[in-house]
Each structure stands twice: as structure tokens, then as C-alpha cells.
């Protein structure tokens, strides 16, 4: 799983944002063509999140994200790779790696 992280609501010039979108669409097309990208999408802003906790049999709901951090998870891509090396190569080519961070984490098997 690739978690795409960045600073939410960070101002970006319109031309830069359009280039980022075009570059991301090109990355998606390439990874879909390689057959390694299974699914992915952007996420709504953190102010739309609800955090759910269950303690002592009681469900507790909180508006907003689980943690206050400088960077947020902005989106994700589920990829199917031969090994970690291929996953890291794919993540390094994602356009958002140049302005934020891509966290690569394996899924539990089973």
C-alpha cells in the first residue's frame, strides 16, 4: 500500500497544480499499463474525518483526524509488486514524492 502524504490545503500555483495532476494521471496510466496498480484514489480533507474508538463497550466518535500532524494522508494506491524493491521504484516515480512523501507498507497476508 502506498500512502500519499503531504500538507493539506498547501497553496500551490495553478500551473503547478495542473502539472501535478497531469503527471499523476500519466503515472496512473503507466502503472495500470504495467499491471501493478490495483486501485487508488484521493481522500477528502481531514476535517471530514470521524475517528472511531471503542472503550469499555462504549463507542466514542471524534470529529477530525486521529492525530494532529504537519502532513496528512492525501490519498493511496494499492499496488501488487514482486518485491519491496519494485514497490519502492514505483513509489519513487509518483509525482507526489517530489512535493510530499510516499509511505510504502506491506499488507498482512492471509
Amino acid at each position: 500500500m502506498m500512502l500519499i502524504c503531504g500538507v493539506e490545503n498547501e497553496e500551490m500555483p495553478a500551473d503547478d497544480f495542473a502539472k501535478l495532476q497531469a503527471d499523476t494521471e500519466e503515472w496512473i496510466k503507466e502503472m495500470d499499463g504495467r499491471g501493478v496498480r490495483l486501485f487508488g484514489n484521493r481522500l477528502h480533507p481531514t476535517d471530514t474525518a470521524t475517528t472511531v474508538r471503542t472503550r469499555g463497550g462504549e463507542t466514542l466518535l471524534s470529529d477530525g483526524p486521529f492525530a494532529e500532524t504537519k502532513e496528512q494522508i492525501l490519498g493511496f494506491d494499492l499496488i501488487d509488486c514482486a518485491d519491496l524493491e519494485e514497490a519502492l521504484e514505483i513509489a519513487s516515480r509518483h509525482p507526489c514524492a517530489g512535493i510530499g512523501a510516499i509511505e510504502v507498507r506491506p499488507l498482512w497476508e492471509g
Side-chain angles (χ1 to χ4, degrees):
M1 172 75 72
M2 290 177 28
L3 301 174
I4 300 163
C5 305
V7 178
E8 192 174 81
N9 299 322
E10 188 171 57
E11 292 296 321
M12 180 182 287
D15 290 347
D16 291 348
F17 185 71
K19 180 172 178 5
L20 177 63
Q21 283 188 301
D23 290 348
T24 300
E25 289 172 15
E26 184 62 32
W27 179 88
I28 289 169
K29 183 178 177 182
E30 180 183 346
M31 295 308 134
D32 285 351
R34 284 175 57 175
V36 295
R37 182 177 174 272
L38 303 178
F39 181 72
N41 213 332
R42 294 169 56 186
L43 298 175
H44 283 274
T46 56
D47 64 2
T48 66
T50 302
T51 300
V52 180
R53 293 178 177 86
T54 305
R55 302 292 186 271
E58 185 178 344
T59 300
L60 308 169
L61 304 177
S62 313
D63 290 338
F66 169 72
E68 295 294 326
T69 62
K70 181 180 177 192
E71 291 187 327
Q72 295 79 32
I73 299 172
L74 304 175
F76 67 95
D77 282 286
L78 183 60
I79 55 178
D80 185 17
C81 301
D83 53 29
L84 178 61
E85 184 176 320
E86 182 183 22
L88 297 176
E89 178 265 326
I90 288 168
S92 72
R93 297 182 63 188
H94 194 288
C96 288
I99 61 168
I102 308 289
E103 181 176 331
V104 176
R105 293 177 64 180
L107 299 176
W108 284 103
E109 304 239 357

